[in-house]
């Protein structure tokens, strides 16, 4: 019933805009209600405010869910993740190119089997919701059925999700290459899924080494035909990859220009990693409004390098936060922020909790052009949010109860919390995950 009222009394935290890089959030950026009310109508947020101020306007005899000991934030967003790699997380001891050949490509071959794709789609969504993530931008395998299975599972749960079929027509195992059929398969998936319910299609050339110029040009043509499509790929993650791209594209000025020449760089484009860029490339990305998905736990795991947030800020290049499972080591947004903080420390660029939680919610939503739908607790937006239990473990409880300010509490959560602190995850106005104990 689309007009059902749901009323939740809790501490509410959300960002109206970027809090800036200072130790305290810029005025007007943070919205915090210590004793707040989140009022849902059906799948959307109807009102947000102080409990006492909204009380007189509530429908008579309404039931209010009492979550006063919990903290509610917008659902976490993961801008770059491979659902098909869930089962190869934590595969030991390789850097990118060996890791792809030894673990990733063999695993992705399994997605020719539709039952496997269905099982993994559901397992992945269960894990994402358990971690408090309500929206992600997802790589399937090169099999179109992998994306049908994924979107079908998302549709059943009414989730807002972006996904696409990997395009790969060279330098990969025979069983994973789509030759000249990859673009037609993408077009069929776009026709069937893009804009259906809360689903969107991301055109997904894996990365320059595994697509011919012909395939990348055709991917660019898809984007020109329909500007509402998204684009996801990888860029400048690993030094072996950079050498390979230079060898494969001797006529291109640099790695980014390979994508520019194919028409793949726009405001709906997400490039994972972007570790090894110069300021010229960063400025070109900024001018096009594209974003780099910073995947800190993946970058640490594969030994790829340390993303430079300061250079991003100085050049105006947007970046987002992502897990990059299966190279990432955790699906939890808390863990992504912890790793981002650690990467920042090694660069002398510590990350504030304000930046971190803004990034995971409103910042990621904005960079994906989804901020009119998700990323904030605000009227008319979709009711996708996490209910956080700051007392979830004895350690967390000790540390949180020792904090004097909201900033300290959020920072402790960023460093110590994990999926045990996700009490509930709501999407589309319904509770989709409730912690077991
Ligand atoms: N570059 C190309 N493919 C991949 C992938 O699957 N994972 C990561 N981390 N980098 C890539
Ligand atoms: Zn990736």
């Amino acid at each position: 019933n689309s007009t059902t009222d749901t009323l939740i009394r809790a501490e509410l935290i959300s960002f109206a805009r970027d809090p800036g890089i200072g130790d305290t959030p810029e005025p007007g950026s943070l919205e915090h209600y210590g004793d707040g009310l989140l009022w849902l109508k059906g799948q959307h947020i109807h009102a947000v405010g102080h409990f006492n101020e909204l009380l007189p306007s509530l429908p008579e005899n309404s039931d209010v869910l009492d979550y006063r000991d919990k903290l509610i934030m917008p659902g976490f967003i993961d801008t770059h993740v491979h659902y098909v790699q869930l089962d190869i997380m934590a595969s030991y001891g390789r850097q990118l190119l060996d890791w792809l050949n030894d673990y990733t490509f063999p695993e992705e071959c399994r997605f020719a089997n539709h039952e496997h794709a269905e099982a993994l789609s559901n397992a992945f969504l269960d894990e994402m919701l358990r971690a408090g993530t309500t929206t992600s931008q997802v790589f399937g395998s090169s099999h179109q059925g992998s994306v049908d299975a994924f979107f079908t599972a998302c549709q059943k749960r009414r989730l807002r999700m972006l996904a696409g079929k990997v395009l790969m027509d060279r330098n990969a195992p025979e069983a994973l290459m789509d030759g000249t059929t990859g673009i037609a398969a993408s077009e069929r998936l776009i026709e069937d899924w893009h804009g259906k319910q809360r689903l969107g299609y991301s055109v997904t050339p894996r990365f320059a080494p595994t697509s011919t110029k012909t395939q990348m040009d055709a991917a660019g043509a898809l984007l020109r035909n329909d500007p509402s499509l998204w684009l996801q790929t990888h860029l400048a993650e690993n030094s072996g990859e950079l050498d390979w791209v230079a060898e494969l594209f001797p006529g291109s000025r640099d790695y980014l220009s390979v994508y520019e020449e194919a028409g793949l760089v726009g405001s709906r484009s997400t490039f994972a990693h972007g570790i090894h860029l110069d300021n010229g490339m960063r400025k070109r990305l900024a001018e096009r409004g594209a974003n780099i998905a910073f995947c800190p736990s993946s970058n640490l795991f594969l030994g790829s390098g340390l993303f430079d947030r300061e250079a991003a800020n100085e050049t105006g290049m947007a970046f987002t936060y992502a897990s990059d499972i299966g190279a990432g080591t955790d699906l939890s947004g808390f863990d992504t922020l912890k790793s981002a903080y650690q990467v920042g420390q090694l660069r002398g660029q510590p990350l504030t909790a304000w930046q971190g939680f803004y990034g995971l919610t409103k910042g990621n939503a904005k960079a994906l052009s989804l901020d009119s739908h998700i990323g904030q607790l605000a009227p008319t937006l979709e009711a996708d949010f996490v209910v956080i239990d700051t007392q979830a473990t004895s350690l967390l409880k000790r540390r949180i109860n020792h904090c004097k300010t909201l900033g300290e509490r959020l920072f402790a959560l960023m460093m110590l919390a994990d999926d045990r602190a996700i009490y509930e995850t709501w999407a589309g106005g319904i509770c989709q995950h409730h912690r077991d104990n």
Side-chain angles (χ1 to χ4, degrees):
N1 186 336
S2 65
T3 56
T4 309
D5 288 288
T6 306
L7 302 156
I8 306 177
R9 183 175 186 178
E11 179 173 4
L12 308 176
I13 292 177
S14 165
F15 293 91
R17 54 182 182 80
D18 193 328
I21 56 174
D23 288 345
T24 53
E26 282 177 11
S29 59
L30 172 72
E31 298 169 322
H32 177 222
Y33 303 96
D35 182 10
L37 184 80
L38 182 60
W39 181 349
L40 316 181
K41 274 194 190 289
Q43 302 175 36
H44 291 85
I45 298 171
H46 175 66
V48 179
H50 293 292
F51 180 77
N52 282 334
E53 284 173 21
L54 284 174
L55 192 58
S57 56
L58 295 187
E60 241 169 79
N61 302 323
S62 39
D63 281 335
V64 178
L65 297 173
D66 188 352
Y67 286 10
R68 263 179 289 181
D69 57 345
K70 304 286 191 298
L71 192 164
I72 291 182
M73 281 193 216
F76 299 152
I77 300 168
D78 188 341
T79 62
H80 179 83
V81 55
H82 303 249
Y83 98 82
V84 294
Q85 296 175 11
L86 188 69
D87 285 352
I88 55 154
M89 286 174 73
S91 295
Y92 175 75
R94 294 285 191 280
Q95 290 218 349
L96 176 65
L97 301 177
D98 292 325
W99 177 84
L100 285 173
N101 286 319
D102 294 351
Y103 308 116
T104 313
F105 290 158
E107 178 66 15
E108 293 190 9
C109 287
R110 300 175 71 198
F111 288 78
N113 177 328
H114 201 70
E115 269 134 55
H116 182 71
E118 282 174 352
L120 265 287
S121 294
N122 282 302
F124 173 82
L125 292 179
D126 287 344
E127 293 296 338
M128 280 304 209
L129 291 166
R130 187 197 313 287
T133 300
T134 47
T135 292
S136 1
Q137 182 167 227
V138 179
F139 275 55
S141 67
S142 44
H143 313 94
Q144 48 182 311
S146 72
V147 174
D148 288 311
F150 182 71
F151 277 143
T152 300
C154 295
Q155 192 174 38
K156 282 194 189 123
R157 303 178 198 221
R158 292 198 268 159
L159 298 173
R160 181 168 284 287
M161 288 280 171
L162 306 178
K165 170 211 123 49
V166 162
L167 290 163
M168 205 160 34
D169 66 350
R170 64 166 169 173
N171 295 324
E174 196 63 43
L176 288 180
M177 288 196 290
D178 49 15
T180 55
T181 67
I183 295 297
S186 304
E187 285 174 319
R188 202 277 295 162
L189 288 164
I190 291 163
E191 180 64 30
D192 283 356
W193 294 108
H194 183 60
K196 295 272 155 72
Q197 283 189 2
R198 298 208 282 162
L199 306 174
Y201 195 85
S202 288
V203 177
T204 310
R206 180 174 214 112
F207 67 156
T210 50
S211 284
T212 58
K213 170 94 178 100
T214 309
Q215 192 177 51
M216 283 192 282
D217 286 343
L222 291 179
L223 300 175
R224 271 195 303 284
N225 278 338
D226 183 350
S228 72
L229 291 167
W230 284 265
L231 178 286
Q232 56 179 349
T233 186
H234 298 88
L235 170 68
E237 175 178 10
N238 165 284
S239 52
E241 171 202 6
L242 299 189
D243 295 343
W244 198 15
V245 171
E247 215 173 276
L248 289 169
F249 298 90
S252 295
R253 156 154 84 130
D254 54 34
Y255 196 160
L256 179 59
S257 71
V258 172
Y259 293 141
E260 287 170 337
E261 285 155 18
L264 300 181
V265 188
S267 66
R268 289 184 172 232
S269 305
T270 299
F271 297 92
H273 308 300
I275 295 169
H276 309 280
L277 299 174
D278 60 30
N279 278 345
M281 285 189 259
R282 291 188 183 99
K283 283 182 190 147
R284 278 147 60 201
L285 285 162
E287 276 159 23
R288 306 267 183 145
N291 79 89
I292 292 286
F294 172 27
C295 310
S297 79
S298 165
N299 299 159
L300 294 170
F301 182 74
L302 291 178
S304 304
L306 305 173
F307 180 72
D308 192 340
R309 276 187 296 112
E310 208 163 276
N313 288 333
E314 280 165 11
T315 52
M317 183 187 79
F319 65 93
T320 54
Y321 293 88
S323 70
D324 192 31
I325 301 304
T329 51
D330 208 305
L331 288 98
S332 169
F334 295 124
D335 185 84
T336 297
L337 295 186
K338 173 164 74 177
S339 298
Y341 178 80
Q342 291 164 339
V343 166
Q345 285 292 65
L346 291 171
R347 276 204 167 268
Q349 305 170 358
L351 177 71
T352 66
W354 310 116
Q355 276 292 307
F357 285 104
Y358 163 76
L360 212 51
T361 57
K362 177 85 171 185
N364 275 0
K366 192 162 170 252
L368 293 178
S369 305
L370 292 176
D371 52 324
S372 60
H373 301 287
I374 55 169
Q376 192 182 345
L377 303 176
T380 75
L381 267 64
E382 294 162 1
D384 290 8
F385 56 91
V386 282
V387 182
I388 296 168
D389 176 7
T390 65
Q391 311 284 297
T393 68
S394 52
L395 180 65
L396 199 56
K397 188 173 174 173
R398 289 185 71 83
R399 182 60 188 99
I400 293 286
N401 294 350
H402 192 61
C403 292
K404 292 184 191 68
T405 64
L406 177 61
E408 284 176 8
R409 272 201 296 149
L410 288 180
F411 184 72
L413 278 178
M414 162 164 136
M415 299 308 289
L416 296 177
D418 57 31
D419 55 352
R420 291 171 294 181
I422 302 298
Y423 180 69
E424 285 177 352
T425 305
W426 289 58
I430 52 176
C431 179
Q432 306 242 7
H433 163 74
H434 183 87
R435 198 180 61 197
D436 296 336
N437 49 39

